[in-house]
Amino acid sequence: MTSPVWHPFTQHGLGAPIPMVVRTDGAALHTADGRRVVDAISSWWVTTHGHRHPRIMAAIADQAARMDQIIFAGWTHEPAEVLAARLVAILPPALTRVFYSDSGSTAVEVALKMALGYWTNIGMPRHRILMLEHSYHGDTIGTMSVGARGVFNRAYAPLLFDVGLVPFPEPGREQVTLDTLDALCGGGDPAAAFIVEPLILGAGGMKVYPPAILAEMRAICARHGTLFIADEVMTGWGRTGTLLACEQADVVPDILCLSKGLTGGAIPLAVTLATDALFDAHWSTDRATMFFHSSSYTANPIACAAAVANLDIWHDEPVLARVTDLGRRQQARLDRIAAHPAIANPRRLGTIAAFELIDRGGRPDGYLSAIGPALMAHAGARDILLRPLGDSVYIMPPYCIDDADLDAIYAAVADFLDARAIA
Ligand code: PMP
């Protein structure tokens, strides 16, 4: 019998087999047919330390023995209180308020609603949101609206709201980015907020831009009062070499979105942090100005306990040293394939290595080209989980990956490149 499961971002009509995973550990997935597969993409960027870190698993088991979901409107619980206090203690001091949700998309939806609520409640309504070209912030209607338009959201285009588009800071064209942002922030219809993925645009193809540009974009927003929303759903928790990517530019946003590595990637949870100004704009004795957002699973206690254990790991273990070391080991291997004629633009930021595959005419292959699935199948046959974004290939393993597994990933990539250069 065929499975009734409808998988995400999967064309079932192609009939590709869907492996059954029965166990995870460290940098590996184990399948029902006995394969050990190296997770070269941290299971869609969520797994930071490694699968099933013992302290996170223990915290989940311990919390599950005491309390499951409770309503979070007007009620609270210790894991949520401890987690919020500890997040505020380690994140930039201006971010004083923690709002819980359950995915990266909802963290971004919350950020957008907080921003619009702010402007409405202070009696100076601003509505327009600005986004950076090639961005991705999620797959809900609101987050698709502030993300790149393309084949993935064509069917829903009539429902997406209008946003101001700031060109990506391509090398040599950074001033265009800054001038456009400046013009869109100000003028007769000033922008409510600008949302960005700091330093690297993930789903847009692992496109990297310099910290100095991030800092300048933040300064322009500050000048115009436009709220600056940092979506660190992918970049947070060490991915780019620091706890937050914003740190590398000395940027403190007005609103910060975190998810994925918040629980070490073990269980869904997200937070949207905000400054006092955002919170105060909603604070009143008038119920009409409260923040009208919730979801059933807000601040799930088991997920919050997992996140507290993640913070313990960050406190007690040399996580940043592991991140630095993984970056160095990625760079050494990337350097060995960097000059290959089948790749372009090799780059690395923190633990993330990326490059484009080019066709024999020296051009990138395009988003729906067959090359991504071909590399995925090639790697899969060698027990490596890779999932290129169109012609952009990236390697983003959990921090615990050892040299043998990292070598296996690069060996699979290298012989794919060789086959492509020869064919
Ligand atoms: N923002 C960014 C930068 C992301 O990379 C993602 C997910 N890849 C999201 C938001 C959405 O997160 P989720 O899939 O958990 O809704």
Side-chain angles (χ1 to χ4, degrees), residues 45 103-106 108 136-138 197 231 233-234 259-260:
W45 322 344
S103 72
S105 299
T106 52
V108 171
Y136 176 87
H137 298 288
E197 293 166 83
D231 175 356
V233 167
M234 181 189 82
S259 186
K260 296 190 191 282

Side-chain angles (χ1 to χ4, degrees), residues 23 84 89 132 135 190 289 339 362 402 408:
R23 193 164 57 82
L132 201 56
S135 293
T289 67
D402 65 18

